[in-house]
Amino acid sequence: MGCGGLGSPERCAGRDRNDRRSRRLAVDLRARWESVHAGDGRWTPPVARPAATVVLRRGALVLLLERSMTMSFAPGMNVFPGGGVSKDDLASADPLLACAIRETKEEVDIAVPVCHLFDRWVTPEVEDQRFDVSFFVADTEEVGRLTTTEAVAMRWIDPAEALHSHRDGFLPMLRPTVLILDALASGRVDGQPTAPPVPKLPRRRLDGRWDVVHAETNDVLVSGVAGPDRAESDGSSMTSEL
């Protein structure tokens, strides 16, 4: 991956360190996947922590934050504003919505007036940190400003341009981010869904292909697509077949 284009200097400085970490994790991850499929208890997947993120639109643009390379989860990834549900959020009638609104205000100083639930993804079972992430969509006229140390840059960008930069290697993202940007670029994010989104969990098969399963029922939603050997949070993304 090149260090030009939209990649930050911090990402360039941390890229080699992250790649070395990925190689060290490779053997452990294979053993963890084997344990998940065998159900032998050698690896117990951590409980996925409830989290929320906001796909924030300003006209034709969408807001992305570039996470710091010092973060233990998804370092250097370009993400939507969001984070884990807090104790204060749990006191709300809708903890996930409260989390989405709070995190957006804390990270980019934008007050979200109205948003609706659009998608839901769960971190793969082999990760040390796992999240059950609800993706909300909201519109704003505010530009905002970066107010978190968890990110090193923010950018308003056209979804199609973001996808192009990602494919050229300049905007690393996790697969759910890519899929949602693709939905935005193709106009598939309009109106409020009539049913709650299905919780989707990527699961690597022993033959190296990936399934996407229902996180609660284990029903296979998408079968046998190509994907990364590295951990999802370590900078890899599953292919566009998902």
Side-chain angles (χ1 to χ4, degrees):
M1 180 182 299
C3 286
L6 296 173
S8 73
E10 188 200 37
R11 171 161 183 81
C12 295
R15 182 192 60 189
D16 290 340
R17 181 178 69 248
N18 209 37
D19 286 345
R20 289 194 298 271
R21 178 174 177 266
S22 295
R23 289 192 291 271
R24 289 197 302 270
L25 282 173
V27 174
D28 288 342
L29 290 176
R30 283 194 292 270
R32 291 178 185 182
W33 280 123
E34 290 171 358
S35 179
V36 167
H37 287 285
D40 56 17
R42 288 182 294 128
W43 169 253
T44 301
V47 175
R49 178 186 174 190
T53 188
V54 178
V55 182
L56 203 56
R57 302 182 294 190
R58 184 167 61 89
L61 306 179
V62 64
L63 181 62
L64 291 176
L65 306 184
E66 182 181 332
R67 285 174 63 81
S68 170
M69 292 299 295
T70 64
M71 300 301 295
S72 60
F73 185 83
M77 295 294 100
N78 286 267
V79 300
F80 306 115
V85 172
S86 71
K87 291 182 179 179
D88 289 341
D89 297 330
L90 291 173
S92 170
D94 189 337
L96 289 169
L97 179 59
C99 174
I101 293 171
R102 175 184 56 78
E103 286 283 346
T104 304
K105 181 63 176 177
E106 289 179 356
E107 293 189 345
V108 294
D109 196 25
I110 292 178
V112 178
V114 178
C115 57
H116 64 263
L117 185 60
F118 172 72
D119 208 352
R120 183 179 168 194
W121 284 83
V122 181
T123 311
E125 294 140 306
V126 297
E127 294 285 0
D128 292 317
Q129 297 182 71
R130 300 184 64 226
F131 297 92
D132 182 345
V133 186
S134 294
F135 290 80
F136 291 83
V137 176
D139 293 291
T140 185
E141 295 181 356
E142 298 181 53
V143 175
R145 60 190 179 93
L146 190 63
T147 53
T148 176
T149 58
E150 295 179 359
V152 296
M154 62 175 279
R155 56 177 61 88
W156 288 99
I157 188 170
D158 181 85
E161 180 185 350
L163 290 170
H164 181 76
S165 295
H166 169 69
R167 289 163 186 150
D168 283 348
F170 296 128
L171 282 183
M173 305 173 194
L174 300 181
R175 192 60 202 158
T177 308
V178 175
L179 291 174
I180 290 174
L181 286 172
D182 184 68
L184 288 168
S186 59
R188 302 197 310 274
V189 186
D190 286 318
Q192 187 166 349
T194 57
V198 172
K200 294 179 278 294
L201 170 67
R203 179 176 291 158
R204 189 176 189 270
R205 304 189 326 197
L206 297 182
D207 64 3
R209 305 288 287 183
W210 286 74
D211 293 337
V212 177
V213 304
H214 192 297
E216 296 171 352
T217 67
N218 274 325
D219 292 336
V220 176
L221 305 173
V222 183
S223 178
V225 299
D229 289 327
R230 298 184 299 175
E232 278 278 277
S233 67
D234 207 46
S236 299
S237 59
M238 301 181 73
T239 73
S240 58
E241 295 177 62
L242 291 183

